[in-house]
Amino acid sequence: MGKGYPVIFQAPPETACLICLIIFSVNRYLAGMVYATTQHKFLQILPKEAAIGNNILPMAVNIIVWFFVFALFYWAFICILPVFTMKKKYFQERSLIVAFVVWVKNGGGRLRDGTETVIGRIRTFLKRQYDALLHLDFQDKTNRTIFRIVGINFVIVFLISLFGVTGIWAFALYSVVLFVFLRRYFRKIQEQYKGILKATRALAKGKLDEPLTEDVGIFAPVQEELRRIQHGFQKAVKEEVKSERTKTELITNVSHDLKTPLTAIITYIDLVRTEQDEAKRKEYIDVLERKSLRLKVLIEDLFEISKATSRSATLQYMKIDIVDLLKQVCLEYESDLQKAELEMRFRLPDTKIIVWLDSQKTYRIFENLIVNISKYSMPHTRVYISMTESEDNVRIVMKNISQEEITFDTEEITDRFVRGDASRNTEGSGLGLAIAKSFVELQHGSLRISAEADLFKAEITLPKTDPSSLSTNTSG
């Protein structure tokens, strides 16, 4: 706590003791001044009839003199007070006598150099005090507290000075009370500091769930920062755990999705070799073709998602009519939607909406979402597709009723190889929504998936801004 004081209270103990000695040496004269004041023999510059004038001036002088005396005593007391907390270190760092003994013990050097060093230190000290007074911030909470304490101390000293000579005993009692108060105050601060250290050590040991609720007084701002650090660590650990889980699931799902068609291909190749019936051989070849195409699509999807997530995909921006593009995708997959027995409801603008986009990537976004609807929607239900235009962007919303109960996390459904079909019985790679989301984000848009009961909702927002005006590199 010794170094926590302002520089003005870090004077050498010899200086503080000398000031106290001077105060006690002139105490007799100060007491005589008080006595002379009471006898109307001090600073009587007005006629004796002017009793009020003869009382006000001596009283003002008394207040100024005693305030100066008690301020010096208070300063000396605060300078010496750290000896109880710093102990041996206090004399090693601040005592002029110890510094002189160490200087002599270490060889000293020229006396002239030593004198110049002392003078330089005194000059530096005085300059620091002058600069501190010039740059004193009265709005700072710490400075306001110090001035409040000094003000209270001034009022108490003033009241003590009214007792005259007997005020010395009152001042001695006040000094004892002040010492007890300050000692208790500093012990409380030490306890609060230990509480902060305890919380810091807990964070260092990885105890992120331990609540920081202990009362730490003036260290409350530090505790609040520690809470933020704790929250940040918790979030980082959660993200890391999620990342590791995603990597594990990714490896498992990739292995499963690649292994299934590959195993089928190997099996049917052996059957084709041994089968003599031409009709069955043709059937086996058809199965091989389907499985090969399935494997080809999966590998292409892996390639696409790899480029999209690594931001290495090249975008070819052009002006396109996004309304016409969406209609084109829906028309191409009309037969699939009819087979799924879905009734389409469109709410699209009657006019063109020209947007700067990559036509192929945007087509793939709509394609993946429409395919997802045709696979997972409940038959004999309606599908709603709407598009609205604002000044800065275009918003497309697709809604459908899920065939299976929605039990998955909608925030994770756009991750790689995450599928709404947990049993993985339906044909799909689990990359459709992940690719759509990556392509949307590459074009500075957003894809948000939400669900309410069995209602599945995909909301796409694409900017209308010319990509050349964006600071982000559009090529990844």
Side-chain angles (χ1 to χ4, degrees), residues 436-460:
K437 180 182 180 182
S438 298
F439 284 172
V440 169
E441 292 177 349
L442 279 175
Q443 299 181 92
H444 313 288
S446 63
L447 171 60
R448 181 174 174 269
I449 302 297
S450 60
E452 183 177 350
D454 292 332
L455 176 64
F456 186 86
K457 178 181 176 182
E459 181 179 340
I460 307 169

Side-chain angles (χ1 to χ4, degrees), residues 320-335 337 346 348 359-360 362-364 366-367 370 385 387:
I320 64 171
D321 180 7
I322 193 170
V323 179
D324 184 66
L325 184 63
L326 180 56
K327 288 179 179 179
Q328 182 182 341
V329 176
C330 293
L331 184 61
E332 184 171 339
Y333 284 89
E334 184 178 6
S335 59
L337 294 169
F346 295 98
L348 305 178
S359 60
Q360 292 184 352
T362 309
Y363 185 94
R364 187 66 186 277
F366 294 154
E367 179 184 39
I370 294 297
I385 299 179
M387 181 185 297

Side-chain angles (χ1 to χ4, degrees), residues 142-386:
T142 303
N143 290 336
R144 291 201 304 268
T145 303
I146 293 175
F147 281 111
R148 192 180 295 114
I149 294 174
V150 171
I152 295 173
N153 186 69
F154 169 76
V155 173
I156 295 175
V157 171
F158 171 73
L159 294 175
I160 292 175
S161 67
L162 298 179
F163 288 96
V165 178
T166 57
I168 297 297
W169 301 106
F171 182 75
L173 179 62
Y174 169 66
S175 300
V176 173
V177 173
L178 182 63
F179 172 77
V180 173
F181 170 77
L182 290 176
R183 188 173 183 180
R184 182 178 179 182
Y185 176 73
F186 288 129
R187 283 181 177 175
K188 183 66 175 178
I189 291 179
Q190 286 178 337
E191 292 175 1
Q192 295 169 350
Y193 180 67
K194 289 178 182 178
I196 286 292
L197 286 181
K198 180 181 176 182
T200 307
R201 293 192 188 102
L203 286 177
K205 292 179 180 179
K207 298 178 180 179
L208 304 179
D209 296 328
E210 188 170 327
L212 304 178
T213 57
E214 188 175 349
D215 181 18
V216 292
I218 62 173
F219 298 103
V222 180
Q223 187 183 57
E224 184 62 29
E225 291 300 321
L226 288 177
R227 285 198 188 99
R228 293 179 182 176
I229 294 173
Q230 185 184 52
H231 179 70
F233 280 162
Q234 289 174 340
K235 186 177 180 181
V237 170
K238 185 178 179 180
E239 291 294 330
E240 184 64 24
V241 171
K242 180 182 177 182
S243 177
E244 290 297 324
R245 178 169 57 85
T246 303
K247 289 177 183 178
T248 304
E249 292 177 353
L250 175 62
I251 294 172
T252 303
N253 294 333
V254 167
S255 301
H256 177 273
D257 288 344
L258 290 177
K259 183 179 179 181
T260 301
L262 189 59
T263 302
I265 290 173
I266 294 172
T267 301
Y268 278 94
I269 287 175
D270 290 337
L271 291 175
V272 169
R273 286 176 179 172
T274 58
E275 183 61 52
Q276 300 298 326
D277 189 347
E278 193 62 31
K280 286 188 176 182
R281 282 171 62 90
K282 186 177 181 302
E283 181 183 345
Y284 295 158
I285 291 173
D286 291 339
V287 174
L288 281 172
E289 183 180 10
R290 290 198 305 271
K291 296 299 181 182
S292 299
L293 290 174
R294 164 78 179 132
L295 190 60
K296 177 176 178 291
V297 170
L298 181 59
I299 293 173
E300 287 177 348
D301 284 349
L302 282 170
F303 183 67
E304 290 285 356
I305 193 65
S306 176
K307 288 201 303 181
T309 53
S310 63
R311 301 288 176 178
S312 61
T314 302
L315 300 180
Q316 302 295 331
Y317 281 100
M318 62 183 68
K319 288 184 177 180
I320 64 171
D321 180 7
I322 193 170
V323 179
D324 184 66
L325 184 63
L326 180 56
K327 288 179 179 179
Q328 182 182 341
V329 176
C330 293
L331 184 61
E332 184 171 339
Y333 284 89
E334 184 178 6
S335 59
D336 293 339
L337 294 169
Q338 289 177 352
K339 288 180 182 178
E341 299 178 332
L342 298 175
E343 188 176 344
M344 305 300 295
R345 290 288 185 269
F346 295 98
R347 295 177 182 173
L348 305 178
D350 297 329
T351 58
K352 295 182 178 181
I353 298 179
I354 306 300
V355 187
W356 279 92
L357 293 172
D358 183 307
S359 60
Q360 292 184 352
K361 299 295 188 293
T362 309
Y363 185 94
R364 187 66 186 277
I365 294 169
F366 294 154
E367 179 184 39
N368 287 6
L369 291 172
I370 294 297
V371 170
N372 188 74
I373 289 173
S374 64
K375 285 182 179 180
Y376 300 108
S377 294
M378 178 181 290
H380 307 290
T381 58
R382 297 183 184 89
V383 177
Y384 292 90
I385 299 179
S386 63

